[in-house]
Amino acid sequence: MQKKTVTSPVSKPLQKRPTYSIEAVDNALVLLQLLRDGGALRLKDAAAELGVAPSTAHRLLAMLVYRGFAVQDENRRYVPGPAMGVGPAGLSWTRMLRELAQPHMELLSAQLNETVNLMVRVGTKVRFLATVEGSNVLRIGDRQGAVLPANLTSGGKAMLAELEPAMVEQLFRSHNAEIGGDTISDRDYPAFTRDLESVRNNGFAANFEGTEEDVSALGMALHNRHGAVVGALSVAMPSTRFRKVFDDGLVAALRGTCRQLEVDIAANPADPG
């Protein structure tokens, strides 16, 4: 039986893969996402990410350089160029975080048979750095490279809940928020702050169809050895399965994975902060 991926967005933040996709174009777009979210990319890493020969990766990167979407620094790494529409995450350790998180995400996904995501917050948005899809026929698909509002996602809310209230207000109630289209209205802001308070008390955040129809998720923040937030993990699934998975120990499973990953983050010499 062919696996089915849930993709029914409310505001179309995520799209289905085209029926007649062009592999070279898709590979170039993946490289753009990696540059945007990682800030720097070596040729051998680009080839490994795409599963292609270094010569193929070099040709793709050369085209990005030609069009201004990438430049090479003094260490011959590729970094975002001036034509990059969305600025890079600006976090030099995102690749390290992905590498540390991958085995933990795979174990958690196998345990729950659901999709696990790794994300970081950049201002009012979250960047999905990695996804491990669940094994159910009806499951949530790959979100790597997606950019979504932090206040609507479970992982985003888990990270926002650990900010000082004044910082949250600056993000969503300031003049800059209005310019960027991130303002939360007078009517909705009190409920949003109560939601964050509940997240602080519970230690996790939930998203019930906040970004996509029929998709629910539970997220928790990740911390470095100093207790500062460096990212979040979320478990996403069709909304019809959420209650059962939750009752079967979702919170404990996700919390255990986050704690184990935080040990690895703290032990890594490149640990941010």
Side-chain angles (χ1 to χ4, degrees):
M1 182 180 296
Q2 184 177 4
K3 288 188 176 181
K4 182 179 178 182
T5 299
V6 174
T7 53
S8 51
V10 174
S11 56
K12 297 185 178 179
L14 304 165
Q15 301 293 336
K16 292 181 180 179
R17 187 181 182 91
T19 303
Y20 301 104
S21 58
I22 302 173
E23 185 176 6
V25 175
D26 188 46
N27 283 342
L29 294 175
V30 170
L31 291 178
L32 284 174
Q33 290 176 340
L34 292 170
L35 285 169
R36 181 195 65 195
D37 295 339
L41 190 62
R42 296 185 183 277
L43 176 60
K44 65 176 183 179
D45 295 327
E49 288 282 354
L50 298 178
V52 300
S55 59
T56 301
H58 181 265
R59 288 195 295 271
L60 290 168
L61 288 164
M63 287 304 301
L64 296 185
V65 171
Y66 173 66
R67 292 296 182 183
F69 287 97
V71 295
Q72 277 191 288
D73 64 13
E74 63 276 9
N75 296 316
R76 300 192 63 77
R77 298 179 308 171
Y78 292 88
V79 298
M84 182 74 78
V86 177
L91 308 173
S92 61
W93 41 268
T94 51
R95 185 173 183 83
M96 178 274 290
L97 183 60
R98 284 181 58 201
E99 291 174 350
L100 291 177
Q102 188 70 25
H104 296 282
M105 295 170 65
E106 290 173 355
L107 286 173
L108 181 61
S109 179
Q111 177 184 349
L112 299 174
N113 294 325
E114 302 293 354
T115 296
V116 180
N117 296 299
L118 170 69
M119 67 196 75
V120 294
R121 182 182 65 85
V122 183
T124 59
K125 302 293 192 293
V126 291
R127 308 276 182 90
F128 285 70
L129 299 182
T131 293
V132 176
E133 291 190 36
S135 58
N136 285 297
V137 173
L138 182 64
R139 72 200 193 282
I140 309 305
D142 191 348
R143 297 299 185 255
Q144 182 175 330
V147 179
L148 294 176
N151 58 303
L152 299 181
T153 64
S154 60
K157 289 191 287 187
M159 290 184 279
L160 290 171
E162 300 205 26
L163 295 176
E164 293 294 330
M167 178 58 71
V168 176
E169 187 168 359
Q170 177 69 22
L171 287 171
F172 296 103
R173 300 288 294 163
S174 65
H175 180 61
N176 287 339
E178 185 176 354
I179 293 174
D182 298 316
T183 301
I184 298 177
S185 69
D186 293 339
R187 182 190 65 184
D188 296 333
Y189 195 72
F192 174 59
T193 57
R194 289 193 298 271
D195 191 12
L196 293 187
E197 181 62 29
S198 176
V199 173
R200 282 188 285 271
N201 292 334
N202 294 328
F204 62 84
N207 163 25
F208 301 110
E209 303 186 355
T211 56
E212 296 175 81
E213 292 178 355
D214 303 322
V215 176
S216 295
L218 189 124
M220 291 184 185
L222 293 166
H223 307 82
N224 64 14
R225 63 181 181 274
H226 305 297
V229 174
V230 296
L233 288 181
S234 70
V235 180
M237 66 207 73
S239 296
T240 53
R241 281 206 302 270
F242 186 86
R243 173 51 61 182
K244 182 181 186 304
V245 177
F246 185 90
D247 291 342
D248 287 346
L250 172 59
V251 172
L254 180 56
R255 180 171 289 127
T257 297
C258 287
R259 299 299 172 263
Q260 292 168 12
L261 176 52
E262 286 174 341
V263 171
D264 286 350
I265 293 173
N268 194 288
D271 167 25

